[in-house]
Amino acid sequence: MALTDITQRANNSSGAKTPTRQTTLFDALNAAQRHSNKRQRRSAPFSSSSQENTAPEGNSDQSEGKVLKRVRLESLHISVPTPPTQSTVVHNIILPAPAPKSPAAQYGSLYSARSAIRLRQRLQNVPMRAISTINRLESLVSPEARVYRLQAEEDSQIGALPLACKYSNSVGTQSRLALVDEGGMISLFDPVNSKMDVAGEEGMQPVVRWRGHDNSIFDVEWYADDTRMVTASADETCRLWDVEQQKLLGVFGGHSQTVRSVSWRHEDQHCFSSASRDGSIMMWDLRVNKAKAGDEYSYRPVNTISRAHYGLRHVGKAPRGKGSLIAGSVTAIKHLRHNANLVASVGSTSETVKYWDTRMSAPTRATELPTPAATSLLASSAGRSRGTSSLTLDPDGTRLYSACNDNRVYVHNALLPDTPIAQLDTPEFECSSFNITTSVSPCGRHLAAGSANGSVVVWELDMYGQNSSKRRAVLQGHIKEAGCVAWYLGAEKTQLATCGDDGTMRVWDINAELADAAKADPMKRCRWGFTSVHQTH
C-alpha cells in the first residue's frame, strides 16, 4: 500500500468534518499498535499485570464522536519491535525487565527524521542502499597536477616518504589537507579549491610547509575547529601546533619509543590520547599537568595504560603457550563517539581490538596486567596470530574497521564489542606492514584501504557496514606500497588522497573525460593512474 493511500484512508475515516490537524502515517501506526495491544490483552488470561496495563475507559479508541479506522501492521509489512517482558541475559549479566512505557516512549525511533525516511522507502519497496554507486568511482583519476612529489632536504640525499595525510574538518573554501613525512615536515595543501585539469611541471605544491619534528612523523590529527593540530613522532613526543601561525604550543613527553597514533576525544576540546611502540596508551589534558617552557608548554600524561597489547616470547624449547610476556606495540587508537570515556586500540601482537576506560587506574603491582573494559576477538584463528595495522571509525560511530596483516579488514560493532560481524578481503588487498591504513567516506558507503602492492581498494558498503554486494573499485597509481588514505569530508564532491612509498601523494577526483583519456593512452595511464571496478571476487 502506498504512503499516500495510507494517510488518505486514515484522514477519510475521521468522524469530524473539519479536522484540526492532518492525520499522518505515524498516527495511523500508533492507532494500529494500540488496537494490537488491546487484542493481546483480551486474548491473554486475566492477571494482575494485565489489569494494571489496561487503559482507562476514558481513553478508549471507540469513544463517542471519534472512531479511527484500524490499519493492520501486516498490510504495511512493518515489524514494530516488542519490548521484552522478562529478564534477559547479555554477556552473562542478568538484565531486569524494563518498566512499562507509553507507545511514544517505546517507539520513539519512529519519530526521528532518519527513521521516517527508512519507513517511507520500505513502504515503497525500495531497500536501503540498493542503488550501487561504485560505478561512479570508475572515473577517479589523478593527473600530474594532483600529484605531490616529496623532495630530498638540503642536508640529505634521500627523498623523504609520506607517512600520513588527513583532511581538515572544515569543507569548501576552508578545507585543507595535512601531510606529514619521514623527514619531520608538515605540509598543508588546498586540493579542494585548486584546478584539476591544468598540469604543472612541478605538480601540486603546498600552501605552507614547516618543520615539526626532528624525526619521522607517523600521525596527525586536526582539532575540532581546525585551528590546531597534534602530531605523533618517532622522537617519542607529541606536539600541538597553531595551524594559522605554524607555532608550537605544547610538547607532550612520556613515551619511551616511537609514538604511532593520536586521537582526539569526541566533543572535547582539551583531551586526546596517544599510542606508542613501547606498548602504552597515554591520556593528555591541555588544562592540567603542564609547565611553562619558553613560548610553549610541557605536558605530562594524566593517565597511562602500560602493556596494553602484550604477547608471548618463546625461549628455547619452551612448550607452546609458555614463555615470557613482552609488551607489543600499540599501532592505532580511536576514541569512540557513543561513549567519550572509551578508546579502542589495536596492536602488533594479535587481531584483537581492546576497549579501554580512560578513567581506569593503573594496576597496583608491577607484574599485574591491565584489564580492558571489553575486547573483540576472532571466533577462530588459523595459524599464528598476526598484528593489526590501523583502526577506523565510521561517521555514525557504530562500526570499527581494523586492517590486519592476514590480508583482511574486520568489521566490528562499536556499540556491542564481540566477535567481528564481517570481514572484507579481495585479491587486490595485501596488508603486510603496519603502515597500511583505512578510511570511510563521509557518506559511509565506501571504505578505502591502502595495499602493499601499490593498489588502493575501495569497497562498497551496505547499511550494515559490510560488503554484501562484493563490488569494489581498485585505484592504480602508486608503483610501491600505498600506505595512507583519506577521504575529503565534504558532500559537494568526491575526493580521495593517497600516499605511497614511491615518494608521492596523489589526490583523486571524479572526471570522466580525463579518466577515459587515461585508459585510452598507456602513457597517461602510467602517469595519471586509473580506476577499475570489479563486481565479484
Side-chain angles (χ1 to χ4, degrees):
M1 185 181 296
L3 175 63
T4 55
D5 297 335
I6 297 172
T7 55
Q8 186 67 28
R9 290 177 57 183
N11 292 330
N12 295 337
S13 64
S14 177
K17 296 182 180 179
T18 57
T20 58
R21 185 176 68 87
Q22 183 75 8
T23 304
T24 64
L25 174 63
F26 298 135
D27 297 329
L29 291 176
N30 289 333
Q33 180 62 27
R34 290 195 298 269
H35 179 58
S36 176
N37 294 339
K38 193 171 183 179
R39 290 202 314 268
Q40 293 178 1
R41 289 195 297 269
R42 288 177 177 176
S43 60
F46 181 83
S47 61
S48 59
S49 59
S50 62
Q51 184 178 7
E52 294 176 358
N53 294 333
T54 304
E57 296 179 0
N59 296 334
S60 176
D61 293 337
Q62 297 182 355
S63 60
E64 296 181 2
K66 185 177 180 180
V67 178
L68 274 177
K69 187 173 182 179
R70 307 300 194 268
V71 181
R72 296 181 62 85
L73 292 180
E74 291 80 1
S75 63
L76 300 179
H77 302 286
I78 300 174
S79 58
V80 180
T82 303
T85 58
Q86 299 179 354
S87 301
T88 57
V89 180
V90 178
H91 292 286
N92 298 326
I93 301 176
I94 300 177
L95 301 180
K101 299 180 181 179
S102 62
Q106 290 180 8
Y107 312 114
S109 60
L110 291 176
Y111 295 89
S112 64
R114 187 170 183 179
S115 298
I117 294 176
R118 290 184 176 179
L119 180 60
R120 186 180 300 112
Q121 291 182 344
R122 193 169 183 177
L123 291 174
Q124 297 175 353
N125 295 325
V126 178
M128 288 292 294
R129 298 186 179 181
I131 301 176
S132 175
T133 59
I134 196 69
N135 291 329
R136 188 169 178 266
L137 301 183
E138 196 171 5
S139 299
L140 284 173
V141 65
S142 176
E144 293 181 353
R146 314 295 276 176
V147 179
Y148 174 65
R149 293 177 172 83
L150 277 74
Q151 304 295 330
E153 301 296 329
E154 297 180 357
D155 56 347
S156 175
Q157 299 295 328
I158 303 176
L161 300 179
L163 296 180
C165 61
K166 193 71 63 68
Y167 278 94
S168 62
N169 300 304
S170 302
V171 298
T173 58
Q174 303 298 324
S175 176
R176 294 293 182 269
L177 174 62
L179 173 69
V180 293
D181 57 46
E182 195 178 27
M185 303 297 293
I186 305 174
S187 306
L188 298 183
F189 298 85
D190 186 15
V192 177
N193 305 295
S194 59
K195 294 183 179 180
M196 174 182 175
D197 54 351
V198 179
E201 296 181 357
E202 298 181 356
M204 189 167 52
Q205 295 300 317
V207 177
V208 63
R209 178 178 169 88
W210 74 95
R211 177 169 293 279
H213 294 262
D214 294 330
N215 210 325
S216 302
I217 304 177
F218 282 89
D219 197 11
V220 57
E221 276 287 329
W222 287 89
Y223 190 64
D225 59 1
D226 296 334
T227 59
R228 293 178 287 180
M229 65 169 57
V230 61
T231 55
S233 173
D235 61 6
E236 304 174 2
T237 65
C238 299
R239 294 188 178 184
L240 183 67
W241 298 93
D242 185 323
V243 177
E244 193 68 26
Q245 302 178 3
Q246 299 88 51
K247 179 182 177 182
L248 179 62
L249 301 178
V251 179
F252 304 82
H255 290 289
S256 59
Q257 294 186 32
T258 298
V259 185
R260 288 297 309 265
S261 178
V262 289
S263 176
W264 284 100
R265 185 177 177 180
H266 289 287
E267 299 181 358
D268 193 328
Q269 57 182 351
H270 304 291
C271 302
F272 72 94
S273 300
S274 61
S276 172
R277 283 179 176 169
D278 59 11
S280 65
I281 300 174
M282 292 187 177
M283 280 65 73
W284 311 86
D285 194 327
L286 304 182
R287 299 164 294 186
V288 297
N289 288 3
K290 61 181 180 179
K292 190 72 173 180
D295 296 335
E296 68 273 359
Y297 285 93
S298 176
Y299 291 86
R300 293 181 292 106
V302 296
N303 197 3
T304 302
I305 302 175
S306 301
R307 293 189 292 181
H309 290 265
Y310 51 86
L312 284 175
R313 175 185 294 169
H314 299 282
V315 181
K317 297 182 179 180
R320 185 175 181 84
K322 302 292 183 178
S324 60
L325 287 176
I326 58 173
S329 171
V330 183
T331 54
I333 57 172
K334 188 65 63 175
H335 274 275
L336 303 185
R337 291 182 179 272
H338 70 281
N339 190 333
N341 297 316
L342 287 181
V343 58
S345 68
V346 291
S348 61
T349 58
S350 67
E351 303 89 348
T352 304
V353 179
K354 296 184 179 182
Y355 301 82
W356 306 92
D357 191 335
T358 56
R359 302 164 298 180
M360 65 179 294
S361 58
T364 56
R365 294 179 296 177
T367 58
E368 185 178 355
L369 297 174
T371 303
T375 57
S376 181
L377 301 170
L378 296 183
S380 62
S381 179
R384 67 182 181 88
S385 298
R386 301 178 183 270
T388 306
S389 64
S390 65
L391 194 63
T392 303
L393 186 68
D394 71 344
D396 294 336
T398 58
R399 298 289 182 267
L400 272 171
Y401 298 89
S402 59
C404 298
N405 284 1
D406 58 357
N407 299 332
R408 294 183 179 92
V409 177
Y410 293 97
V411 187
H412 306 266
N413 187 352
L415 307 181
L416 185 62
D418 202 347
T419 58
I421 59 178
Q423 66 182 29
L424 309 177
D425 57 349
T426 178
E428 296 84 8
F429 176 66
E430 297 180 7
C431 184
S432 57
S433 72
F434 294 110
N435 297 322
I436 304 297
T437 65
T438 58
S439 178
V440 183
S441 62
C443 64
R445 292 295 308 273
H446 305 102
L447 173 71
S451 181
N453 55 19
S455 304
V456 177
V457 181
V458 182
W459 284 281
E460 184 181 50
L461 305 178
D462 56 19
M463 63 182 301
Y464 304 105
Q466 306 174 18
N467 182 238
S468 57
S469 65
K470 305 299 182 183
R471 302 186 184 101
R472 63 194 183 279
V474 180
L475 284 64
Q476 301 285 348
H478 297 282
I479 60 177
K480 292 185 179 181
E481 178 181 279
C484 183
V485 293
W487 288 96
Y488 169 60
L489 302 181
E492 70 277 7
K493 66 186 306 182
T494 301
Q495 190 174 93
L496 178 67
T498 61
C499 299
D501 284 355
D502 53 3
T504 63
M505 180 187 71
R506 288 182 173 270
V507 176
W508 302 78
D509 293 271
I510 291 181
N511 191 308
E513 182 179 355
L514 293 180
D516 293 340
K519 293 177 181 179
D521 189 345
M523 186 63 67
K524 291 183 179 179
R525 185 188 309 176
C526 180
R527 294 180 302 176
W528 295 3
F530 67 98
T531 304
S532 58
V533 174
H534 305 267
Q535 299 296 331
T536 56
H537 284 290

